[in-house]
Amino acid sequence: AQSVTQLDSQVPVFEEAPVELRCNYSSSVSVYLFWYVQYPNQGLQLLLKYLSGSTLVKGINGFEAEFNKSQTSFHLRKPSVHISDTAEYFCAVSETSWSNTGRRALTFGSGTRLQVQP
Amino acid sequence: DAGITQSPRHKVTETGTPVTLRCHQTENHRYMYWYRQDPGHGLRLIHYSYGVKDTDKGEVSDGYSVSRSKTEDFLLTLESATSSQTSVYFCAISDPKKETQYFGPGTRLLVL
């Protein structure tokens, strides 16, 4: 089984400032890692994912994340945020291997609400 | 955007009534999922399907059932709705080539 911890439930930040949203995970098996964004009253949109290879992953809207296996972390960063980045951000993991039923469901953290202030 | 629609988008119902939510995909993917989203919990898996008529339980399956008679449709049924099932429900499909799940727009359910 896996678990995901997002350490901050809310992160207020001023426009054009850098931001880091923290994510730690626990798993007894290899995992893939994801960040999703949810704008108000909308569904979830994939920001970026780590499957293999380079541990620094770049996503949409200028976001990036770094996979740190020893720290079991996958923190999300952006060097300069905009008002339009105000949203809720979810970190998630899934197993890398398919079970007999091909479950590969996502396990989510509780979310971090990013509030960008002018 | 992945071709996923959910219906209805909003529903208000009374305790004890049955409710069915529908997820429809145009991508022909084998794997489909139902999650519920609640404040402080993120999204939690209710049920999933790995093919037509092949379904299994997730972590929060009590009080829910599912059916999948066609590849494109995955139905979630609350047999007798309770106030604790007030939530936002998301359907997702899995693209195995991209190792990624894509989500529908959600259904906001209020059980009075």
Side-chain angles (χ1 to χ4, degrees):
Chain A
Q2 301 88 42
S3 66
V4 178
T5 302
Q6 291 185 242
L7 298 164
D8 305 298
S9 59
Q10 294 189 56
V11 174
V13 63
F14 288 107
E15 195 173 18
E16 297 184 7
V19 70
E20 179 179 80
L21 306 184
R22 296 178 293 169
C23 173
N24 287 89
Y25 70 92
S26 172
S27 178
S28 58
V29 298
S30 296
V31 293
Y32 295 138
L33 298 128
F34 305 84
W35 276 98
Y36 285 86
V37 60
Q38 184 180 34
Y39 299 104
N41 299 313
Q42 294 188 26
L44 277 73
Q45 179 182 0
L46 181 69
L47 263 183
L48 49 78
K49 61 186 177 184
Y50 173 79
L51 304 181
S52 64
S54 172
T55 57
L56 183 62
V57 180
K58 294 188 183 298
I60 62 172
N61 301 338
F63 283 93
E64 64 180 31
E66 186 157 18
F67 170 52
N68 187 320
K69 189 173 184 179
S70 63
Q71 303 277 340
T72 61
S73 67
F74 191 53
H75 301 332
L76 181 70
R77 297 191 289 259
K78 187 171 183 178
S80 175
V81 295
H82 302 288
I83 295 287
S84 60
D85 292 323
T86 294
E88 189 150 23
Y89 293 78
F90 292 95
C91 181
V93 301
S94 72
E95 296 179 11
T96 59
S97 63
W98 291 93
S99 67
N100 290 336
T101 60
R103 170 172 164 160
R104 202 76 75 90
L106 290 169
T107 299
F108 283 87
S110 55
T112 297
R113 189 171 300 277
L114 177 64
Q115 298 167 310
V116 182
Q117 304 164 350
Chain B
D1 288 344
I4 312 170
T5 56
Q6 293 184 232
S7 59
R9 295 291 313 280
H10 302 271
K11 186 168 182 67
V12 180
T13 191
E14 294 187 350
T15 298
T17 59
V19 176
T20 295
L21 309 183
R22 179 179 182 243
C23 177
H24 179 80
Q25 62 150 329
T26 59
E27 307 298 318
N28 202 37
H29 286 317
R30 181 179 169 192
Y31 306 100
M32 299 184 74
Y33 308 82
W34 277 107
Y35 295 87
R36 60 178 288 174
Q37 182 182 21
D38 304 291
H41 291 278
L43 280 77
R44 293 176 292 175
L45 181 68
I46 305 171
H47 281 279
Y48 62 100
S49 171
Y50 46 98
V52 173
K53 297 185 180 179
D54 292 323
T55 65
D56 206 346
K57 297 178 180 180
E59 284 80 19
V60 291
S61 60
D62 287 348
Y64 302 95
S65 62
V66 291
S67 65
R68 192 163 177 206
S69 59
K70 299 184 291 185
T71 298
E72 58 266 35
D73 289 326
F74 191 30
L75 304 181
L76 176 71
T77 297
L78 289 66
E79 302 290 348
S80 177
T82 67
S83 59
S84 64
Q85 293 176 311
T86 291
S87 186
V88 181
Y89 292 86
F90 287 100
C91 174
I93 61 175
S94 181
D95 183 343
K97 292 181 181 178
K98 296 181 179 179
E99 297 288 2
T100 299
Q101 286 190 23
Y102 298 95
F103 286 81
T107 294
R108 191 171 296 270
L109 176 67
L110 174 61
V111 183
L112 300 175

